[in-house]
Amino acid sequence: MEYEIRSDTGRKRTVNEDEAAVFVHSEMKTMLAVIADGMGGHKGGDFASATAVRMLGEQFMSADKEVVTEQDWIDLLYDAIVDINQFLYITAQEDDTYKGMGTTLDLALILDDHCVVFHVGDSRIYQVTGKAIRQITKDHSFVNVLIDSGEITEQEAEVHPQRNWIMKAVGSEKSIVPDRYSFPLLPHSYVLLCTDGLSNKIEKEKMLDIMLNQSSLADKADEFIDLANQRGGEDNITVILLAIPEIEVTPV
């Protein structure tokens, strides 16, 4: 499977508090894409996102042949998120340098012909199939609470002054329960993970245009970063693109 990762500080920030990685477990024939957007100041946000991605990667790569079923993978990754949350929370309580830190966390686990997603915060995962784009995750944000209650529309949320307020983050509370999603992977489709530095600047329709053009996956990733910067680049900008090839069906 082909993939590309891009992360940029943007035009207004001096520190990149985003972190992203793709881990390939060749022995288990699976792949994990992880993206995180840290918060809590210069040291806290950077530390939170980098630690979350690193710890998830370590847990994923340490999986052995006892991890057999999809539920085994779900349990392993869920436990890893709980451990990361506890570690970051305790660190913030014990060291004022990291007080108030936390991070969004989105991961996409590729298992044969489908994808399992865990989600906390307002980073996002999209699926692009044919000529359609679908947002898989739902933001844990203040404006989404207002949308769900009928107080504002989705269009109003896009320009709301509190649109960057998030209601849930890894490390911010003593315990965490991530959202989980699962969806089928279709041949010649894409999975897109991004932080809000990209999704706040590029609407879904434009994302789809970029994904469907005839350029390489690397050029698509570059175009996302360039366009978000052209439109202001006020935040860190990070994207992971996964290209799903022709899927081989394992014979029974």
Side-chain angles (χ1 to χ4, degrees):
M1 183 180 298
E2 187 183 358
Y3 66 88
E4 293 288 341
I5 306 170
R6 298 288 186 278
S7 189
D8 190 86
T9 305
R11 291 186 167 180
K12 305 293 184 182
R13 303 287 182 90
T14 56
V15 175
N16 190 346
E17 295 178 301
D18 289 356
E19 190 76 23
V22 173
F23 303 95
V24 180
H25 201 313
S26 54
E27 184 181 351
M28 307 299 286
K29 296 181 179 178
T30 186
M31 172 186 287
L32 180 72
V34 188
I35 200 165
D37 180 355
M39 63 206 72
H42 180 138
K43 290 188 176 180
D46 186 22
F47 178 81
S49 60
T51 300
V53 173
R54 176 183 57 78
M55 289 179 68
L56 262 174
E58 289 172 353
Q59 288 295 312
F60 173 73
M61 295 304 294
S62 69
D64 55 27
K65 292 184 179 178
E66 292 183 3
V67 180
V68 178
T69 66
E70 177 178 331
Q71 189 60 50
D72 290 339
W73 282 111
I74 289 171
D75 291 345
L76 181 146
L77 294 173
Y78 180 89
D79 289 347
I81 294 169
V82 169
D83 289 345
I84 292 163
N85 184 80
Q86 184 178 43
F87 175 77
L88 293 178
Y89 180 77
I90 291 173
T91 301
Q93 298 303 305
E94 295 178 346
D95 188 339
D96 285 344
T97 304
Y98 300 115
K99 188 175 182 180
M101 76 171 169
T103 183
T104 72
L105 189 61
D106 279 78
L107 59 92
L109 175 70
I110 306 300
L111 288 173
D112 296 325
D113 60 352
H114 68 290
C115 179
V116 176
V117 164
F118 281 100
H119 165 72
V120 179
D122 65 351
S123 296
R124 293 180 179 178
I125 296 181
Y126 298 87
Q127 183 184 31
V128 178
T129 56
K131 293 185 178 180
I133 184 168
R134 178 169 69 108
Q135 184 178 330
I136 301 296
T137 55
K138 183 177 181 180
D139 295 351
H140 295 135
S141 63
F142 177 66
V143 292
N144 247 353
V145 173
L146 298 181
I147 292 170
D148 289 344
S149 66
E151 294 181 51
I152 64 172
T153 66
E154 289 187 11
Q155 291 72 28
E156 289 170 331
E158 291 175 1
V159 295
H160 196 282
Q162 281 83 46
R163 64 185 178 277
N164 292 327
W165 289 10
I166 68 172
M167 309 296 287
K168 194 173 182 179
V170 175
S172 296
E173 302 290 338
K174 194 170 184 178
S175 61
I176 193 81
V177 178
D179 292 348
R180 179 162 61 86
Y181 306 87
S182 182
F183 59 94
L185 294 172
L186 301 178
H188 309 299
S189 63
Y190 301 94
V191 177
L192 184 160
L193 298 82
C194 68
T195 58
D196 66 339
L198 191 142
S199 58
N200 281 343
K201 290 296 177 183
I202 304 178
E203 63 279 10
K204 280 201 310 183
E205 294 74 19
K206 184 59 181 177
M207 289 183 184
L208 182 61
D209 287 344
I210 293 171
M211 294 306 297
L212 294 183
N213 68 34
Q214 296 301 308
S215 61
S216 68
L217 196 66
D219 287 344
K220 296 180 200 296
D222 290 337
E223 187 172 351
F224 276 118
I225 299 298
D226 292 345
L227 183 57
N229 272 322
Q230 288 170 20
R231 293 183 174 184
E234 290 90 354
D235 200 354
N236 306 146
I237 310 154
T238 302
V239 62
I240 302 177
L241 303 181
L242 306 175
I244 312 303
E246 188 68 44
I247 297 170
E248 294 182 8
V249 178
T250 305
V252 179

